[in-house]
Amino acid sequence: MQDRMERLLDKLREQGHRITPQRIAVLRVLLESRDHPSVEDIFEKVKVNFPTTSLATVYKTISVLKELGELLELEFSNDHNRYDGNKPYPHPHLICTRCKKIVDPELGGLTDITRELVSDTGYKILSHRLEFYGICPECQERR
Ligand code: ZN
Ligand code: MN
C-alpha cells in the first residue's frame, strides 16, 4: 500500500497538482478501504483528523484521480457512486442489496470468458462491468 501511495503522489506531482495533508488523507482512506466508499464515506473519515476539510476537496481529489486513471468509479443510477482506489481497472464486484457493502470476489475464469467473447464476436474488448447482487452473510444472520 505504501508503494501505491508513493506512486499516486508522484503522479499527482508530475501533473502539477498540489499535495496537501487533506489530499493525502483522502488517498489514505481510499487505499485503506476494502469496502468501496462513497464520496460521503471518505469525507466522514477524513474529517476525523482534518475537521476543516471540505466536501469539495474530496470531490476534486476524486476527479483528479479518475482523470489519471488511478481510480475505478462504480456508478449507480439510484445510489451514491462508489470508489475503488486499490484496483483502478475493471474487475467483478459482489454487492449486498441490504447493507450496500461491495466486495471484490476472487473470480477465476474471467480471462477465458473474455477470450471466448473476442473469438466469437471479433470485438476488441476495452472494458467490462460485472456485478453480482445478493445478501451478504452478515445480513442473512440479521433477519
Ligand atoms: Zn449486507
Ligand atoms: Mn473493487
Side-chain angles (χ1 to χ4, degrees):
M1 189 187 117
Q2 199 50 43
D3 283 359
R4 177 138 178 81
M5 177 63 96
E6 292 301 329
R7 185 188 141 71
L8 290 178
L9 291 176
D10 284 348
K11 226 171 159 178
L12 286 171
R13 271 187 216 105
E14 271 169 31
Q15 302 290 320
H17 295 288
R18 279 203 313 139
I19 310 292
T20 61
Q22 285 84 353
R23 252 194 187 164
I24 294 176
V26 171
L27 293 180
R28 183 159 292 131
V29 169
L30 276 169
L31 297 188
E32 279 172 355
S33 301
R34 285 289 174 275
D35 52 355
H36 306 79
S38 65
V39 169
E40 291 74 13
D41 296 332
I42 299 166
F43 181 52
E44 290 307 320
K45 286 189 179 160
V46 170
K47 267 202 307 191
V48 174
N49 292 315
F50 299 95
T52 58
T53 308
S54 70
L55 191 56
T57 301
V58 181
Y59 270 110
K60 178 68 188 160
T61 308
I62 292 285
S63 113
V64 167
L65 289 173
K66 256 171 61 186
E67 263 169 47
L68 295 175
E70 293 293 347
L71 189 66
L72 182 72
E73 181 176 58
L74 299 171
E75 280 186 280
F76 297 100
S77 51
N78 49 5
D79 223 324
H80 295 294
N81 290 352
R82 306 275 290 267
Y83 297 90
D84 191 329
N86 291 295
K87 295 162 119 187
Y89 45 85
H91 59 275
H93 286 102
L94 187 52
I95 300 172
C96 176
T97 55
R98 291 235 175 102
C99 68
K100 312 287 183 190
K101 177 165 53 201
I102 302 181
V103 298
D104 290 341
E106 288 303 324
L107 211 57
L110 199 56
T111 316
D112 292 342
I113 293 173
T114 310
R115 260 191 222 118
E116 198 178 321
L117 266 178
V118 171
S119 71
D120 285 0
T121 66
Y123 269 57
K124 178 179 159 64
I125 305 298
L126 302 174
S127 180
H128 73 258
R129 185 163 172 173
L130 183 55
E131 279 154 11
F132 296 87
Y133 294 87
I135 317 284
C136 75
E138 289 76 23
C139 285
Q140 291 179 50
E141 289 270 303
R142 237 177 264 137
R143 58 169 310 163

